[in-house]
């Protein structure tokens, strides 16, 4: 099969379009002939060795949707020809964390496209539990792109204890997870404001229900307090270093800063007096469990939330799509069609 093969960890230039044997599903696995896959920053991070893939060549891609075309031994409840979306989070399924339904704490937790071959190929083999029925009438480009960001955003909002009426500030609208978090928080009844460096993206936020918008490179913490007369109950962030200090200072007493990314840097300076005096919480969040993916699919399939598709590129245009992602120019998801 054709696939975009990562041959090293020197960056996006290490991807090559090549051929590998079409994988066969093992016990409990299915093979999905892909109709669409979507880009995530994971594709850039792994290419830079953060973390390095388990072996080379490697196929990245955590999001995808397609048609089941082969079944491994013991698979039940899925048939050849089923149209499915891919849950990118895998785990052992039997440990205490998995049994209670919080698989990101599983010692064997892995991400499709990071720890095992992913979706930037003609087909992918996944555990059968990670193949979820495609919502009826959802176009392939949307089915293949909502999974990671929407389920990750749901986990962030859950860990941040977002509830109706609370003040939420989402950093960096335009990126997939930030956009999903903004739309989901609004659907949950929160009062949501957003930041972005881009005027066009800030305008998009206003037109889609943001209470206020702020320039990520300006004094948005001061502006947020001036606009709302209070600090935020929750800040949702995957930008990291470039915005961390002001994001933290945006919080009200007892506020929660939730992070699941570090696109502008991996380290920050934490002002401890600010944290203990305001009694703030700094909360990490990573990926999703099966319940959160099911919730994401229900939000999308039911029409409560629609994650914007920035652009749809042909499979062979993966390098150009990566360039757009790296530049941060996208408004929503970038999709590779088959």
């Amino acid at each position: 099969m054709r696939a975009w093969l990562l041959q090293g960890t020197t960056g996006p230039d290490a991807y090559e379009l090549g051929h590998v044997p079409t994988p066969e599903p093992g016990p409990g696995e299915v093979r999905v002939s892909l109709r669409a896959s979507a880009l995530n920053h994971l594709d850039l991070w792994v290419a830079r060795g953060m973390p390095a893939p388990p072996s080379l060549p490697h196929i990245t891609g955590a999001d995808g949707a397609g048609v089941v075309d082969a079944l491994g031994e013991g698979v039940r409840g899925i048939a050849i020809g089923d149209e499915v979306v891919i849950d990118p989070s895998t785990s052992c399924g039997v440990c205490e964390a998995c049994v209670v339904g919080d698989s990101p704490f599983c010692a064997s937790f892995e991400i499709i496209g990071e720890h095992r071959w992913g979706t930037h190929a003609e087909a992918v083999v996944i555990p059968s539990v990670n193949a979820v029925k495609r919502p009826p009438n959802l176009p392939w480009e949307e089915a293949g792109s909502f999974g990671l960001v929407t389920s990750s955003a749901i986990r962030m909002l859950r860990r941040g204890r977002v509830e109706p009426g609370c003040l939420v500030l989402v950093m960096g609208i335009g990126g997939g997870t930030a956009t999903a978090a903004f739309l989901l928080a609004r659907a949950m009844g929160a009062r949501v404001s957003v930041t972005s460096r881009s005027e066009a993206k800030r305008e998009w936020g206003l037109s889609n229900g943001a209470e206020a918008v702020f320039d990520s490179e300006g004094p948005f913490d001061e502006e947020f307090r001036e606009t709302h007369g209070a600090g935020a109950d929750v800040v949702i962030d995957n930008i990291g270093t470039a915005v961390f200090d002001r994001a933290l200072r945006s919080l009200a007493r007892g506020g929660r800063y939730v992070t699941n990314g570090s696109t502008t840097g991996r380290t920050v300076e934490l002002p401890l007096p600010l944290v203990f005096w305001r009694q703030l919480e700094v909360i990490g969040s990573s990926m999703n469990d099966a319940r959160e993916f099911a919730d994401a699919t229900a939000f999308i399939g039911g029409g409560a939330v629609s994650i914007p598709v920035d652009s749809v590129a042909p499979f062979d245009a993966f390098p150009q799509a990566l360039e757009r992602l790296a530049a941060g120019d996208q408004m929503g998801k970038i999709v590779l069609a088959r």
Side-chain angles (χ1 to χ4, degrees), residues 22-277:
T22 302
E24 295 295 332
E29 296 180 327
V30 300
R31 187 175 66 210
V32 179
S33 176
L34 290 154
R35 298 294 184 269
S37 61
L39 277 62
N40 291 285
H41 277 88
L42 178 151
D43 303 317
L44 297 170
W45 294 333
V46 174
R48 295 169 182 147
M50 298 186 301
S55 61
L56 294 172
H58 181 69
I59 302 172
T60 60
D63 278 323
V67 180
V68 174
D69 69 357
L71 305 176
E73 181 182 354
V75 171
R76 300 289 185 270
I78 298 178
I80 291 176
D82 283 355
E83 297 179 352
V84 298
V85 295
I86 293 171
D87 177 352
S89 295
T90 72
S91 63
C92 74
V94 296
C95 71
E96 182 179 355
C98 291
V99 169
V100 301
D102 212 357
S103 59
F105 289 103
C106 173
S108 301
F109 183 81
E110 293 183 338
I111 303 170
I112 292 169
E114 182 173 325
H115 305 99
R116 55 188 293 157
W117 278 11
T119 58
H120 296 323
E122 291 182 328
V124 64
V125 166
I126 59 173
S128 61
V129 295
N130 289 77
V132 177
K133 184 178 180 181
R134 177 169 74 125
N137 303 316
L138 190 67
W140 283 116
E141 62 269 18
E142 295 182 30
S145 61
F146 78 84
L148 185 148
V149 298
T150 310
S151 55
S152 294
I154 287 174
R155 185 172 185 84
M156 293 181 80
L157 297 172
R158 177 172 70 84
R159 289 182 61 77
R161 305 192 298 281
V162 170
E163 57 187 23
C166 70
L167 284 175
V168 177
L169 177 61
V170 178
M171 307 301 303
I173 196 75
T177 302
T179 303
F182 161 60
L183 295 170
L184 287 162
R186 287 199 66 251
M188 294 174 180
R191 299 170 56 195
V192 192
S193 296
V194 300
T195 78
S196 176
R197 295 176 300 171
S198 164
E199 182 178 355
K201 293 178 183 180
R202 295 195 297 270
E203 290 177 355
W204 184 92
L206 282 175
S207 66
N208 283 273
E211 283 202 6
V213 298
F214 308 100
D215 188 338
S216 301
E217 297 181 326
F220 60 83
D221 54 332
E222 301 170 12
E223 295 166 352
F224 184 94
R225 290 176 178 279
E226 182 178 352
T227 299
H228 294 288
D233 298 304
V234 182
V235 167
I236 300 292
D237 176 39
N238 66 2
I239 297 174
T241 306
V243 299
F244 176 77
D245 188 68
R246 288 195 181 275
L248 199 68
R249 294 179 187 278
S250 300
L251 288 167
R253 291 178 181 271
R256 284 89 67 194
Y257 167 88
V258 187
T259 174
N260 84 334
S262 53
T263 57
T264 63
R266 306 178 73 182
T267 60
V268 298
E269 184 174 310
L270 184 64
L272 292 176
L274 178 69
V275 174
F276 65 68
W277 184 247

Side-chain angles (χ1 to χ4, degrees), residues 287-334:
M287 295 300 293
N288 63 279
D289 59 28
R291 172 190 52 174
E292 287 149 352
F293 192 85
D295 289 345
T297 305
F299 269 109
I300 298 295
V305 170
S306 179
I307 306 303
V309 173
D310 171 84
S311 54
V312 179
F315 184 67
D316 290 2
F318 179 57
Q320 292 76 24
L322 270 180
E323 288 179 7
R324 182 167 179 80
L325 178 67
D329 294 333
Q330 82 282 5
M331 181 59 240
K333 297 294 293 182
I334 301 172

